[in-house]
Amino acid sequence: MGNELKRFAGKSALITGAGGGIGRGISLRLAREGADIAACDIDQERLDETMVNIKETGRQGIALVCDVAQEGEIENTAKRALAAFGKIDILVNNAGIGDTNKSFDEIDADLWDKVYAVNVKGPFFLSRGIAMDMIEKKIAGKIISIASTEGKTNRAGSLAYASSKRALIGITQGLAIQLAPHGITVNAICPGLIDTPIWHKADRDMDLPLGSMVKMVGDTAMEQRQLKLLRIGTPDDIAAAVAFLASEDASYMTGQAINVCGGMEFS
Ligand code: NAP
């Protein structure tokens, strides 16, 4: 993979959704570049698999089972991560859920609230807790949230999901303004189509073999030349961009929402 850079030696990172496809990719990339990792996920089993991979890099890792939709659990997770490493230099708000493209007349208030609790409220309150610690310790930290190209151009017509990702971009900009005086940068990555287990829910709902839905969407996007680079993205594609934003190479960037999408989105 050629990750010989050690840009994060002496740093520690907290990553949510670290048991999932993109979160695991980010955790391993930052660990290979020298960071200790506080890995958070709602799913203990998948988190444990990520921990095995982190340990293989030789870095320290702690597993924090947490539902980012619950304010109390977020607070506890932040406390445990800070107790373990003494500080958090890099926060990656990656945990997110979809709304399985429910139509406007099917979506109910419970689903709406759940999507917003995980995709919007959780990232905000965790960012707030970690930013307050960064300010107290005078850490020029990096906060990175994983939004979506759907938060810029709503191609699939999803309602709760796309609007929640747009809200996350708004929070990124607001925090960037308020935290700039403290030397903390806040940015978002907008992935396009990435092959991860998030797509498996749709496979299961439609009784299709796992991986069918992302392939179908990818094939269509390639046929229509929306997906210019003619391949579906991988967690490593997103992890590389996160590592850049977390590094000093991105020290003059804040409030940005960067597309990593094979050219599917231009704005
Ligand atoms: P994924 O493989 O499903 O990973 C997400 C992880 O977050 C899963 O382990 C999931 O656990 C966990 N999680 C869900 N709800 C949580 C909660 N309340 N608290 C803590 N952890 C929770 O999905 P992914 O594709 O890697 O997605 C990562 C991020 O990228 C998400 O924000 C997603 O919206 C964004 N994104 C993905 C794509 C794509 O094409 N894959 C495109 C654009 C944006 P469970 O499996 O138990 O739910």
Side-chain angles (χ1 to χ4, degrees), residues 25-185:
I26 294 168
S27 302
L28 295 184
R29 174 75 192 236
L30 298 184
R32 283 194 199 104
E33 289 206 36
D36 292 327
I37 307 293
C40 151
D41 202 285
I42 200 168
D43 185 320
Q44 169 92 61
E45 210 172 301
R46 284 165 57 173
L47 194 52
D48 288 344
E49 290 167 17
T50 299
M51 294 309 292
V52 171
N53 298 146
I54 290 171
K55 297 265 155 70
E56 285 167 358
T57 68
R59 299 312 316 163
Q60 282 187 59
I62 53 159
L64 302 166
V65 176
C66 164
D67 177 354
V68 299
Q70 307 298 328
E71 224 180 311
E73 290 192 30
I74 292 175
E75 214 172 287
N76 191 34
T77 294
K79 269 193 199 141
R80 288 175 61 199
L82 289 165
F85 297 134
K87 64 184 171 79
I88 293 294
D89 304 280
I90 301 159
L91 167 65
V92 186
N93 291 304
N94 164 74
I97 55 170
D99 61 11
T100 58
N101 272 6
K102 287 249 185 301
S103 69
F104 74 96
D105 54 345
E106 279 175 334
I107 202 157
D108 59 29
D110 284 348
L111 180 60
W112 187 275
D113 288 346
K114 193 171 169 209
V115 170
Y116 268 70
V118 178
N119 294 1
V120 183
K121 193 175 86 172
F124 170 67
F125 282 103
L126 188 55
S127 299
R128 187 173 80 158
I130 296 297
M132 282 161 76
D133 185 79
M134 287 171 172
I135 292 167
E136 193 186 316
K137 293 176 182 151
K138 300 195 183 333
I139 293 169
K142 316 278 185 194
I143 298 176
I144 299 149
S145 294
I146 307 302
S148 171
T149 50
E150 290 291 303
K152 290 195 173 175
T153 301
N154 189 342
R155 287 176 207 281
S158 75
L159 289 165
Y161 180 75
S163 63
S164 73
K165 292 300 190 179
R166 188 171 274 250
L168 185 55
I169 294 170
I171 287 169
T172 299
Q173 293 168 347
L175 282 175
I177 293 168
Q178 295 199 27
L179 296 177
H182 303 284
I184 299 167
T185 65

